[in-house]
Amino acid sequence: MDDRPIGVFDSGFGGLTAVRALHALLPEEDILFFADNGRAPYGGREREQLRRMAKQDIDLLVGGGVKAIIAACGTVSSNAADVLHSASVPVTGMIEAPVEAIRASGGSGPIGLIATAATVRSGTFAAALREACPEREVLSVACPDFVPLIESGHVQPGEPAVQEAAERYLKPLREKHLTTLLLGCTHYGLIEPALRACFGYEIEVVEASSCAAAAVAASLRKEGLRGAGSGRLRCLTSGDAALFTRLAPLLLGTSAPLEVRAIAPMEE
Ligand code: DGL
């Protein structure tokens, strides 16, 4: 038994997909979420900068007394694996669990990875997918317009700017008759209906955050580290706390008020 909270971090609102999935699986666990909205997006940054920021984000959560962390950021997970592995508490990233889910589903046909520019450039997801599913073609597309749109609040279903960007990025994948779409950026789970709508046929959509949350739930059970808290969610944001307080409940699908605390963006 371990009643310390589980830590989750991301550059911003995307991490709420992991919070949502974790809370659904482990409703009694307390969660401490850090949304680095003040420094989002991460996806256009260089690897060294991402490694430094990942360390800062992890140190912040470790300082908050967490027992385990979900790095709910495909960009950090694909560029700073060494930083995640060297933390003083177990850190689960966004690569292994969704790739394993795709392997285990035993599908066939081309797999499309959509993610940030830094994630696609790292080649981490593509390499892991090729190793897990050597017989399947892997196509990677960077979608740099999605995160700024989501961070500025374009999250309602049917937002024309999101739909237009989705159509532009996903058209080449649809033309390749994709069968599996891997959302390699956690923000994209917040616009999943817009992404699905671009295909016009049933497609397997794999969202990295929910796969990682399931892996964390299994590992806490196995290690005997489950907590018996009240499911308290505390949120830290380095961005606009009023915007966070307004948007986060919508994205989490809750009407309960959230505990939100603003912190100053860290020095890069
Ligand atoms: N949500 C993050 C990811 O999964 C970061 C996106 C960004 O800030 O560019 O990659």
Side-chain angles (χ1 to χ4, degrees), residues 34-122:
F34 173 48
D36 200 4
N37 306 87
R39 300 197 294 183
Y42 280 15
R45 296 172 188 267
E46 296 301 323
R47 181 186 293 265
E48 274 318 302
Q49 196 179 18
L50 289 165
R51 290 181 70 255
R52 285 195 298 275
M53 291 164 79
K55 169 122 180 47
Q56 292 174 325
D57 297 344
I58 288 170
D59 287 349
L60 179 76
L61 290 174
V62 169
V66 301
K67 62 183 168 190
I69 292 176
I70 298 189
C73 178
T75 306
V76 160
S77 305
S78 57
N79 282 278
D82 58 325
V83 177
L84 306 193
H85 290 143
S86 60
S88 58
V89 299
V91 181
T92 302
M94 293 291 116
I95 312 291
E96 287 83 4
V99 169
E100 172 52 22
I102 291 174
R103 191 201 61 73
S105 80
S108 58
I111 302 168
L113 163 73
I114 56 170
T116 66
T119 297
V120 170
R121 192 180 55 226
S122 76

Side-chain angles (χ1 to χ4, degrees), residues 73-75 77-79 94-96 98-99 102 109-130 136-144 146 169-170 172-174 176 178-186 188 195 199 203-209:
C73 178
T75 306
S77 305
S78 57
N79 282 278
M94 293 291 116
I95 312 291
E96 287 83 4
V99 169
I102 291 174
I111 302 168
L113 163 73
I114 56 170
T116 66
T119 297
V120 170
R121 192 180 55 226
S122 76
T124 308
F125 266 113
L129 285 167
R130 289 202 179 96
R136 298 183 72 180
E137 188 183 3
V138 177
L139 306 152
S140 302
V141 175
C143 309
F146 285 151
Y169 289 131
L170 300 184
L173 296 177
R174 180 177 67 223
K176 288 276 190 176
L178 207 69
T179 50
T180 301
L181 180 68
L182 169 54
L183 311 188
C185 169
T186 53
Y188 303 174
L195 304 176
F199 286 90
I203 183 161
E204 178 190 35
V205 175
V206 176
E207 198 234 323
S209 302

